[in-house]
């Protein structure tokens, strides 16, 4: 699965990942970011998520677009306790537009003898 973060340069984009627990026991996942731009992604509510039996839970993944080049990382969710599948999500960013931080006016002669 790929989660795409698109927006303006320097914008903070939040995406929600919804996880379901079909089992009769609670699931506890620990989230880890890996890859070239892993440090640019974060989980505002912490790196651990607990999903009650037969329920679903959501986790927010936050990213601030700092560069024009696409950012890439992996989100790995590993389980604690019972044996549950390790979940992997590909995280990618794309700058859709650039808004100026400000405008500077200056006067200067174009040509001088």
């Amino acid at each position: 699965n790929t989660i795409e973060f698109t927006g303006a340069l320097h914008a903070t984009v939040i995406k929600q990942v919804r996880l379901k627990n079909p089992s009769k026991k609670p699931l506890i996942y620990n989230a880890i970011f890996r890859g070239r731009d892993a440090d640019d992604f974060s989980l505002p509510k912490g790196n651990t998520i607990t999903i009650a039996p037969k329920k679903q839970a959501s986790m927010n993944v936050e990213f601030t677009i700092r560069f024009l080049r696409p950012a890439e990382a992996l989100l790995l969710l590993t389980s604690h306790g019972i044996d549950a599948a390790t979940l992997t999500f590909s995280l990618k960013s794309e700058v859709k537009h650039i808004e100026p931080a400000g405008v500077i006016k200056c006067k200067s002669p174009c040509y001088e003898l």
Side-chain angles (χ1 to χ4, degrees):
N1 294 337
T2 299
I3 302 170
E4 293 186 14
F5 295 80
T6 58
L9 186 64
H10 302 297
T12 298
V13 180
I14 298 173
K15 292 289 185 165
Q16 194 173 67
V17 177
R18 185 167 296 160
L19 304 169
K20 293 181 181 180
N21 180 4
S23 74
K24 295 180 181 179
K25 296 182 181 179
L27 285 177
I28 301 171
Y29 279 107
N30 186 38
I32 303 166
F33 293 104
R34 293 286 184 243
R36 178 184 72 189
D37 301 304
D39 292 339
D40 294 330
F41 293 89
S42 66
L43 299 167
K45 294 184 180 178
N47 291 353
T48 302
I49 186 167
T50 302
I51 310 166
K54 303 288 183 183
K55 299 285 183 180
Q56 62 183 4
S58 297
M59 63 187 310
N60 290 335
V61 180
E62 191 173 285
F63 174 70
T64 300
I65 302 172
R66 299 187 310 138
F67 304 107
L68 290 175
R69 68 165 172 77
E72 294 181 358
L74 289 176
L75 170 60
L76 299 172
L77 297 172
T78 56
S79 68
H80 290 279
I82 67 170
D83 292 328
T86 297
L87 304 175
T88 305
F89 298 91
S90 175
L91 309 175
K92 295 184 179 188
S93 75
E94 182 181 357
V95 176
K96 287 291 187 182
H97 61 281
I98 302 171
E99 295 180 16
V103 177
I104 300 173
K105 292 183 180 182
C106 63
K107 291 183 179 183
S108 172
C110 289
Y111 177 75
E112 219 174 276
L113 286 174

